[in-house]
Amino acid sequence: MKVSVDELVDRVKANMEELTDSFDAGIVMTAGIGVERYIREKMPDALLAVWATEPVSSLPLIDCASLLRPQRSSDGSGYVLLPDDVWRMAEFCMDGWRQPVTEFIDKTSPEYELQFNFYTRGGCSTPVCVLSNEEGQKRIDYYSLPAHVISHRVRSARYAAYPARDAESYELLPSLIPVVCYTCAALVYEILGRPEQAAAMMRCIVR
């Protein structure tokens, strides 16, 4: 469900008021900045902190298959450059594969070296995708399709994006709304130098 940032901010304020009825008097102004501004600034960080503990299937996902332009190699492997806002890949599948990739490796994985051998690399039945960041550009190297396949096309590619810092609303499961709001309250207390209150907010989280 879509939840407005204004509603989330109000919920965070209510959470902070659980500790003291006069929290505004002590923290509403720090260096001339209202506490609401701190809440809005920390909301994307709270979202990422919560999403990092969730299965990717529970996150809002974007399908970018139509935007990707595969760069084919002569051996049937290839790569695609990803959108800049990719935070976490959920699925990637090329036309011709029997199943999508949902578990991605990086170049530190022992499995990565296997992709350079024709007999041990991924293929249509058990494809392999390697996530990397080349000179600031996120990409997926995919393994692989038969070498005789001339045209490479992406069938599906879904990812969770970094939360936009200027968003007016976010897509959230109802069960995660209180978790995000308590987490955000804790982050605000941390930057205000109140670790005890931050810890109290985290103890309120029930999952």
Side-chain angles (χ1 to χ4, degrees):
M1 62 178 289
K2 276 197 175 295
V3 187
S4 71
V5 173
D6 289 341
E7 180 181 343
L8 292 172
V9 168
D10 288 342
R11 284 172 174 259
V12 174
K13 284 183 178 179
N15 291 346
M16 297 175 81
E17 288 172 339
E18 291 176 5
L19 295 186
T20 170
D21 291 335
S22 59
F23 86 101
D24 264 347
I27 67 173
V28 71
M29 296 299 292
T30 299
I33 302 174
V35 67
E36 182 171 321
R37 178 172 173 182
Y38 283 115
I39 294 172
R40 291 181 182 275
E41 287 178 352
K42 299 308 292 185
M43 187 60 67
D45 299 325
L47 285 164
L48 286 182
V50 173
W51 284 350
T53 66
E54 293 294 311
V56 71
S57 59
S58 69
L59 308 183
L61 299 177
I62 298 171
D63 193 321
C64 64
S66 63
L67 303 177
L68 304 183
R69 300 292 180 264
Q71 303 299 309
R72 172 185 174 274
S73 298
S74 59
D75 64 357
S77 64
Y79 72 89
V80 293
L81 300 179
L82 297 172
D84 291 337
D85 64 343
V86 169
W87 173 60
R88 186 173 167 189
M89 286 300 301
E91 174 185 303
F92 183 85
C93 189
M94 297 295 294
D95 272 349
W97 286 0
R98 296 180 184 174
Q99 61 182 354
V101 170
T102 56
E103 298 290 336
F104 299 82
I105 65 171
D106 61 29
K107 292 184 177 180
T108 66
S109 170
E111 193 176 353
Y112 175 61
E113 296 297 328
L114 300 179
Q115 307 315 308
F116 296 101
N117 184 302
F118 178 80
Y119 298 100
T120 60
R121 71 182 183 182
C124 294
S125 297
T126 55
V128 172
C129 286
V130 182
L131 280 169
S132 64
N133 194 317
E134 304 292 335
E135 299 181 352
Q137 178 66 65
K138 299 168 188 174
R139 63 185 268 172
I140 286 177
D141 289 86
Y142 58 85
Y143 304 88
S144 58
L145 287 164
H148 67 265
V149 176
I150 301 300
S151 179
H152 286 197
R153 291 186 296 270
V154 180
R155 181 188 303 164
S156 65
R158 297 191 302 153
Y159 70 95
Y162 284 100
R165 292 194 171 270
D166 58 352
E168 296 182 356
S169 64
Y170 295 108
E171 189 75 30
L172 269 173
L173 289 178
S175 60
L176 293 183
I177 293 173
V179 183
V180 168
C181 291
Y182 278 118
T183 300
C184 187
L187 292 175
V188 172
Y189 275 128
E190 285 178 357
I191 64 175
L192 293 174
R194 299 197 173 192
E196 292 183 2
Q197 287 91 334
M201 289 291 96
M202 295 305 291
R203 287 195 296 270
C204 292
I205 295 175
V206 177
R207 307 184 79 169

